[in-house]
Amino acid sequence: MIKIGILGSTGYAGSELVRLLSSHPYAEIVFLDSRSYENKSYTDIYPHLESKLDKKCSSIDLMDDSHFKNLDLLFCALPHGLSQIAVKQGLKNKVKVIDLSADFRISDVASYEHWYQVEHLAKEEVKLAVYGLCEINREKIKTATLVANPGCYPTSILLALYPLLKEGVIKAQGIIADSKSGISGAGRNLSDANLFSQCNENIRAYSLCKHRHIPEIEEQLSLYSDTTLTLQFTPHLIPMNRGILSTIYADMNKNLSCSEVYDLYITYYSDEYFVRLLSGGKLPQTKAVSGSNYCDIGFDIDKRTGKIIIVSAIDNLIKGASGQAVQNMNLMFGLDEHIGINQLPMWP
Amino acid sequence: MIKIGILGSTGYAGSELVRLLSSHPYAEIVFLDSRSYENKSYTDIYPHLESKLDKKCSSIDLMDDSHFKNLDLLFCALPHGLSQIAVKQGLKNKVKVIDLSADFRISDVASYEHWYQVEHLAKEEVKLAVYGLCEINREKIKTATLVANPGCYPTSILLALYPLLKEGVIKAQGIIADSKSGISGAGRNLSDANLFSQCNENIRAYSLCKHRHIPEIEEQLSLYSDTTLTLQFTPHLIPMNRGILSTIYADMNKNLSCSEVYDLYITYYSDEYFVRLLSGGKLPQTKAVSGSNYCDIGFDIDKRTGKIIIVSAIDNLIKGASGQAVQNMNLMFGLDEHIGINQLPMWP
Amino acid sequence: MIKIGILGSTGYAGSELVRLLSSHPYAEIVFLDSRSYENKSYTDIYPHLESKLDKKCSSIDLMDDSHFKNLDLLFCALPHGLSQIAVKQGLKNKVKVIDLSADFRISDVASYEHWYQVEHLAKEEVKLAVYGLCEINREKIKTATLVANPGCYPTSILLALYPLLKEGVIKAQGIIADSKSGISGAGRNLSDANLFSQCNENIRAYSLCKHRHIPEIEEQLSLYSDTTLTLQFTPHLIPMNRGILSTIYADMNKNLSCSEVYDLYITYYSDEYFVRLLSGGKLPQTKAVSGSNYCDIGFDIDKRTGKIIIVSAIDNLIKGASGQAVQNMNLMFGLDEHIGINQLPMWP
Amino acid sequence: MIKIGILGSTGYAGSELVRLLSSHPYAEIVFLDSRSYENKSYTDIYPHLESKLDKKCSSIDLMDDSHFKNLDLLFCALPHGLSQIAVKQGLKNKVKVIDLSADFRISDVASYEHWYQVEHLAKEEVKLAVYGLCEINREKIKTATLVANPGCYPTSILLALYPLLKEGVIKAQGIIADSKSGISGAGRNLSDANLFSQCNENIRAYSLCKHRHIPEIEEQLSLYSDTTLTLQFTPHLIPMNRGILSTIYADMNKNLSCSEVYDLYITYYSDEYFVRLLSGGKLPQTKAVSGSNYCDIGFDIDKRTGKIIIVSAIDNLIKGASGQAVQNMNLMFGLDEHIGINQLPMWP
């Protein structure tokens, strides 16, 4: 059994992690950290786990090494700053770490500090971090001690663009990603913007030109394309619980047909359990991935404009967060990659 | 492996059956019957099963015995009338049958014919049918050849009232069940009443005093209470996909405290995997059971009025339909009762 | 022009009042009080009023009489306690007051203090208050200096039962009201229970047997029926913004047909602009009243159980709060009753 | 009074027209045409208009000139083909016509026939048609006999881009419009894609590269920019009833600051009652326009990419359909432009 501690276990990413690990045959949860709900029974906060999980939340003192003693793995779902210290402490205590925050996703620390407007407190550890997009960095993840779990928007955009940029099918410059997310992406924070009556029957764009996932996406896309590229990214909030749909626009570099591009995607993804390519003009929808770790990808080429439009869909809390975190765990511990995360999507 | 045919596989109950059976270790789907989608690939209709299920729909001629040749089990999710013939044919061909329609749930055929306004075409088979509420009829189900899978509203109401009526804690007469259902309960039928813009931001009651689940519920409750009782039942449609919440009002027969009633429930349900009793005044909510086969039950006693109010919650497509059908299958084939249906609920 | 001050203008009841008064031909808003948003532009908080309203919020010191100097009318939408002081101050300064809180709705101060668990700070003013259910107390409202605007649930229940109790058609004891409300009823408060992801795809009952609207409803119903009655009331939250649907169960006292009961309702309501009786078995739905000041009422009698089931629907923020408050204002100032609140409902 | 006939009155655009005209002081509805609901009372289909409208639907024989005898204005909300004949007949009978279909919006008949894959049956009348985007074609509309009411997506996109293209601020080529619409845009048609359970908790793109609004938008944008431009347009369906949000990407032609672009917008729109420019980086949201005829516009310039991102929001059934149709009527009949359509948006 893998002995696991979860820091920040009562947000939505944390609770989804708890749900998935509760049914994972090789996982044993040692502690559920929570500042806000210390000493409260976990099922008082998340009643769906009633009868399955009988544990109280504890507030872990990160400076007390004893907490890390018997752990094999630390999941860290804390806000930035806190996350940096936690990861440092975990690694110091020889515990493998999967960090769900953004703190270790960007290898260019200066860029991180510019976009997040804070000083990074664990610069050395950044160098150890592997960017945990499993389909792309699988081999590195297997031997990593620190995995930076990708952001939800980045996951949906990177998987869609990886083969196209690798093969030079599209131009690296001028890419636009217009993403739409369910409200759970904003977490379980008490914020006016998260209230039901503010979100329901409403759609809005936010963080125009300045969302913090931009440097993360750009760094990865630049790696794929061997250039330094600049991305236009616009996130939107739409009235549903789960799901991200990204609509991505790029200029074709070569004059390929849809079936040629499909074949190219197949070369990259035919063996990938969690990536499903839609053929014949079919397009992804979030309902088709909801509750699962799948990423669905479809596309069309517009002969009139010379652009390709790629659409990708994920469940933001699973492939976009905790499902991918468990996928990373499976890789790091030599397990079959889809153990514990092969639930089928729910419809409707 | 249990060889399975599914009649009416493309409604929501059918598709949920297909989803659950696709991951069931002992199930093998032989055919997916559908009149409307004959020869269409199943994943064109239900894209969430993409990559997991590669099967076409076929339109089964019920009169052709050869379809039943190699089957162990027939799930029947057809409209009434059709269902009666299908069950007849299945049983004639020595295939066990689980029927999800209402046709074999009511043992009093005259009552059935009165409420459904049709002649019953398989009166003899009605006598063979076991009412498939697993927690209550478990032993009979194990040896049944025909199981009538309970309705969604009845499941939520019967489990809530069973211990109370059995023990004479409440008066049998004057019970009121006010139920609220997500829209998927109405199926995937093209009806004006099912359109998004008609349902969203709306709630309405329907079939006041005449919903067809009334005789089904009354027959069972009468068995529990050893009287012939009459129920007031009002269903409502609310703007969500899944879930039924039933709020049930009954007059107390004895002057018991909440904790005494709780203990009584415990006597009946403490060993039931799929029934979760909420203690300490906690109340069920549909989100806490969504995606699972659980039935959550909570209650309170109003000293001012002398009434007990019981609230129960299920996922209408799982415990209220296909999950319970698989639970019945497990019982009929001697399997562990929760195989294939022990997914945890999803939150949010 | 009626010069108006609004205390607590940035909750949903407050903002709906602002919206309605902005288009009211005889209303002039003097101040918009808000503690939380002092000095903020009102349209920063409620952008739908952009270009129509150019005013900042101010935080009114209730003890400073000068604020009430040039006012004709004070709308008070504050939490209890605060509301009591505000009303006191308004009346002292000869300003008419419409209070949207519960503080002056219950004439039995002891009952108020029991249910609300606070001491009442304006007991004398309670005696002056008229319960502002316009259809029933119209004449008293016209000359009132203080109107206690009814609660949302009470409005939907009282209008449905008034003619039946007055005429002795139903038994006064044993009435059950099962109500379902959109989330805006909980206001714009930062509470975990109001978050989108907690409410969407969910339904739950709350405040079982102890909701604070119970004494308010009971007091009024007791007046109608000339007895002291006890009510069973269960509120539920459902995933929509606006609307309340109440399903009410009562025992028939006399053996009347549906058309006889319909005629009786007509005697009471045929001249009421804002009450719409549905005939021929049609039932109300919240969408049909959304955005309007209407209360729709339908019903059916169950011969099997001897009960009548009445269903009523209102927009909780309009007829259930601010629309009715404006209706009260119109009456108090001798205006045509439906000025400023005769907008038609929106569908879909 | 303007005597009005409405063809196709029972779709959502039709019903919204009926609602708005019911409260319009100068409108008198002569007939409500409907094939599907002939002889049915209109309020049986749209119960929100109960007590306000007492009229039955009739099925108008377009070939019978007598129907047009006493009309001043014909609103036509029919599917294409039928619409062409209806408009022909109306004009022949000297009745002014506002057509809500796409049939007369595109002056290039060959383009129309290419995108709609039908022969146009009223080519001569196309020449008479004025494109009814009131803010831009106001003067022509005043004297028009036939107005082609703009599509919902086009309205949201054209108003956002008009000043920028007119002033040459952005490049005409390479514009991308990514639009998100509520489900009511798909009408009240019985289609699987419109079912609640298919749409709720789901988002999908559709008609990639081939939506029929493309030629309509391109023709207008080409007029503004004095070039022939090609547009990338992707519509999405999101789970809400009303509203369209368009996120539009264009390359800046000149190096302008946000405040310079804002000033430019102001030059065009400061006198426009129904266009609201958001300043200071504020962005539109559909809730802020819901129930109103407003179009809200906000934007930001990305220095990193050299692009401007413009976001616009409308209520698709009002400014995107029936509200704009009434605005056109007001102009054609010399009335104050906002009579009957100046309702404030509803929040929440």
Side-chain angles (χ1 to χ4, degrees), chain A residues 115 174-180 196-210 214 218 229-234 236 238-245 247 249 283-288 290 299-302 304-307 309-311 347-348, chain D residues 115 174-180 196-210 214 218 229-234 236 238-245 247 249 283-288 290 299-302 304-307 309-311 347-348:
Chain A
W115 284 84
I175 297 174
I176 294 175
D178 188 286
S179 295
K180 298 89 180 169
F196 182 88
S197 301
Q198 301 290 103
C199 297
N200 192 41
E201 286 292 296
N202 200 9
I203 167 171
R204 59 188 185 89
Y206 69 104
S207 294
L208 231 62
C209 312
K210 53 177 177 283
I214 292 174
E218 285 183 349
L229 62 73
T230 310
L231 175 80
Q232 193 73 49
F233 169 63
T234 312
H236 300 75
I238 62 173
M240 60 185 203
N241 288 338
R242 285 172 179 246
I244 283 178
L245 191 89
T247 311
Y249 303 87
L283 292 174
Q285 38 191 326
T286 56
K287 193 189 280 297
S290 182
F299 67 91
D300 204 354
I301 297 168
D302 193 336
R304 300 168 66 251
T305 62
K307 286 190 198 295
I309 300 98
I310 313 117
V311 183
W347 187 295
Chain D
W115 284 83
I175 298 173
I176 294 176
D178 189 286
S179 295
K180 299 89 179 167
F196 182 87
S197 302
Q198 300 290 104
C199 298
N200 192 41
E201 285 293 295
N202 201 8
I203 167 171
R204 59 186 186 88
Y206 70 103
S207 295
L208 232 61
C209 312
K210 53 177 179 283
I214 293 175
E218 286 183 348
L229 63 73
T230 309
L231 175 80
Q232 193 73 50
F233 170 62
T234 312
H236 301 75
I238 62 172
M240 59 184 203
N241 288 337
R242 287 173 178 244
I244 283 179
L245 192 88
T247 312
Y249 303 88
L283 291 174
Q285 37 191 328
T286 56
K287 193 189 280 297
S290 183
F299 67 91
D300 204 355
I301 298 168
D302 193 337
R304 300 169 66 251
T305 62
K307 285 190 200 294
I309 299 99
I310 313 117
V311 182
W347 187 295

Side-chain angles (χ1 to χ4, degrees), chain D residues 115-237:
Chain D
W115 284 83
Y116 284 79
Q117 293 290 304
V118 289
E119 207 204 317
H120 204 296
L121 306 173
K123 292 193 180 67
E124 283 310 305
E125 286 75 9
V126 171
K127 295 176 192 159
L128 300 173
V130 173
Y131 188 74
L133 194 52
C134 309
E135 284 72 15
I136 295 176
N137 296 330
R138 182 171 289 118
E139 293 312 312
K140 286 189 198 157
I141 292 164
K142 287 181 179 171
T143 58
T145 51
L146 169 58
V147 165
N149 206 57
C152 50
Y153 290 123
T155 297
S156 74
I157 295 167
L158 296 174
L159 287 173
L161 290 174
Y162 179 63
L164 304 182
L165 282 171
K166 272 303 224 190
E167 299 296 320
V169 168
I170 56 171
K171 298 211 173 92
Q173 298 303 337
I175 298 173
I176 294 176
D178 189 286
S179 295
K180 299 89 179 167
S181 173
I183 311 294
S184 68
R188 195 171 167 172
N189 306 310
L190 293 190
S191 130
D192 184 69
N194 292 351
L195 294 180
F196 182 87
S197 302
Q198 300 290 104
C199 298
N200 192 41
E201 285 293 295
N202 201 8
I203 167 171
R204 59 186 186 88
Y206 70 103
S207 295
L208 232 61
C209 312
K210 53 177 179 283
H211 193 279
R212 288 167 166 181
H213 282 171
I214 293 175
E216 176 183 342
I217 304 170
E218 286 183 348
E219 187 173 281
Q220 295 300 316
L221 291 182
S222 295
L223 287 174
Y224 308 162
S225 64
D226 250 330
T227 61
T228 302
L229 63 73
T230 309
L231 175 80
Q232 193 73 50
F233 170 62
T234 312
H236 301 75
L237 287 179

